[in-house]
Amino acid sequence: MDIHAYEKIWLAASVLLILFLLGSVTYGAVGPGVAMVSDTEQTIDPGALDETDRFSEPRVEQVGENEYEAYVVARQYGFQPNPIVVPANSTVTFYVTSADVTHGFEVAGTNANTMVIPGEVSEITVETDDPAEYGIVCNEYCGAGHHVMQGNLEVVSQSDFDERTSGGDGA
């Protein structure tokens, strides 16, 4: 049986397209910066966040040189703390939980995006660069006021961060 040259070309192109699509799906599932919500975190009682050490006072705290942890609570219809203030040129790990319903936590203009489920703690790490201001939006429908649920992430200079946090009115 003789196969025409055009059929061979289309057959090769089809096989290459299939391999490319499989490769892109595989890369998307295991590629750098892509992670599922970790199940290594212990679950917490969303109705008793006031009694939980990490979330009783949502805040940003320094844990190492240029390393910070931000404890964030999402509830209808906002984020606490707001604004979240972090220093420039640092690594910030956000620990986000919900006090009521499923929310989203997306830092607009970055690749920081996670689902926030009551009783679960979502963890996402972000490296900050120069001072800037980013919007935080809820990208999971959470009720009638979902469209107004927003917050701010302020990346400020180290001196501004120190001034804000030592003055008692910080993040």
Side-chain angles (χ1 to χ4, degrees), residues 61-69 86-93 125-128 158 161-162:
E61 63 184 33
Q62 187 169 5
V63 294
E65 186 175 338
N66 296 328
E67 292 183 27
Y68 296 83
E69 290 181 347
V86 298
N89 303 311
S90 63
T91 301
V92 182
T93 301
T125 301
V126 174
E127 292 186 13
T128 65
Q158 184 67 49
F161 179 78
D162 292 339

Side-chain angles (χ1 to χ4, degrees), residues 156-171:
V156 299
S157 67
Q158 184 67 49
S159 60
D160 278 353
F161 179 78
D162 292 339
E163 181 180 310
R164 286 186 180 198
T165 55
S166 66
D169 64 340

Side-chain angles (χ1 to χ4, degrees), residues 9-10 41 46 59 63 67 80 111 113 128 141 146-147 168:
I9 292 172
W10 278 109
E41 285 284 331
R59 67 199 176 280
V63 294
E67 292 183 27
Q80 293 176 313
N111 65 347
N113 184 359
T128 65
Y141 183 75
H146 167 71
H147 64 287

